[in-house]
Amino acid sequence: MADEVILLDSWLSMYGMRVKIALAEKGIEYDYKQEDLSNKSPLLLEANPIHKKIPVLIHNGKPVCESLIIVQYIDEVWNDKSPLLPSDPYQRAHARFWADFVDKKVSVVSRKLWTTKGEELEAGKKEFFEIFKILEGELGDKPYFGGETFGFVDLSLVTFYSWFHAYEVFGNINIEAECPKIIAWAKRCFQKETVAKSLADQKKVYEAVGQLRKIRGYE
């Protein structure tokens, strides 16, 4: 019997994009359900009653929540191709550390670029580049964070690339000028079909974020 795989998501979510990349890497067919986050479906509320957030992967009726946990689940269940985490325990722990760094640091500071003004925005811009300089240091001269192949840390970070245009316009920054290694790495990742087809279009994200700014009074 074939697996039933459902993804509850919102197209704008960089967290949902992580799951889409993982499923694409594994070649898994799934049913995509776009959620209206202002009117969440009964299925989403039932599948993730604690956080009531997307993404949620439902595999044969069993829900798995939180994007990085979902990606690790996908890697463990469909372990016959395209491993996302290293097999070595230390390297696996190292990858989890940096993916957690992305979740704790990049997520928070990136939001400041389109939701704040004045001194708070200036502080956010400074912190944004400090964090990405740290990530450039970890990347070093490697093609991907894990070495020669695309993996867990790349997947956790590259989805923010779809928001870079919005960050640059609303934050009045130039990411490539400050962090050229990150942009080169992101473009390298984007050459992979599994990444390119999973990321939202930068211009569409920019337009959607502009609408969000108006609705929430951030302008």
Side-chain angles (χ1 to χ4, degrees), residues 2-64:
D3 284 324
E4 181 190 44
V5 182
I6 300 168
L7 176 59
L8 309 183
D9 188 24
S10 170
W11 72 273
L12 196 56
S13 169
M14 63 277 283
Y15 308 107
M17 293 178 216
R18 291 170 169 175
V19 180
K20 288 194 274 190
I21 293 171
L23 290 167
E25 282 284 308
K26 299 291 185 176
I28 305 302
E29 292 185 6
Y30 61 97
D31 183 12
Y32 183 87
K33 294 190 182 295
Q34 170 72 24
E35 283 286 330
D36 176 359
L37 299 183
S38 63
N39 183 26
K40 297 173 182 177
S41 72
L43 181 58
L44 174 59
L45 298 176
E46 180 187 342
N48 190 0
I50 305 301
H51 296 303
K52 303 177 176 64
K53 291 180 178 178
I54 53 90
V56 178
L57 185 81
I58 304 175
H59 180 211
N60 294 333
K62 296 177 180 177
V64 185

Side-chain angles (χ1 to χ4, degrees), residues 12 22-23 39 41 50 65 70 76 86 106 112 114 177 197 203 206-207 217:
L12 196 56
L23 290 167
N39 183 26
S41 72
I50 305 301
C65 308
I70 296 170
E76 290 170 9
V106 177
K112 293 178 183 178
W114 63 276
K197 74 179 186 181
K203 293 291 169 61
Y206 163 71
E207 290 166 4

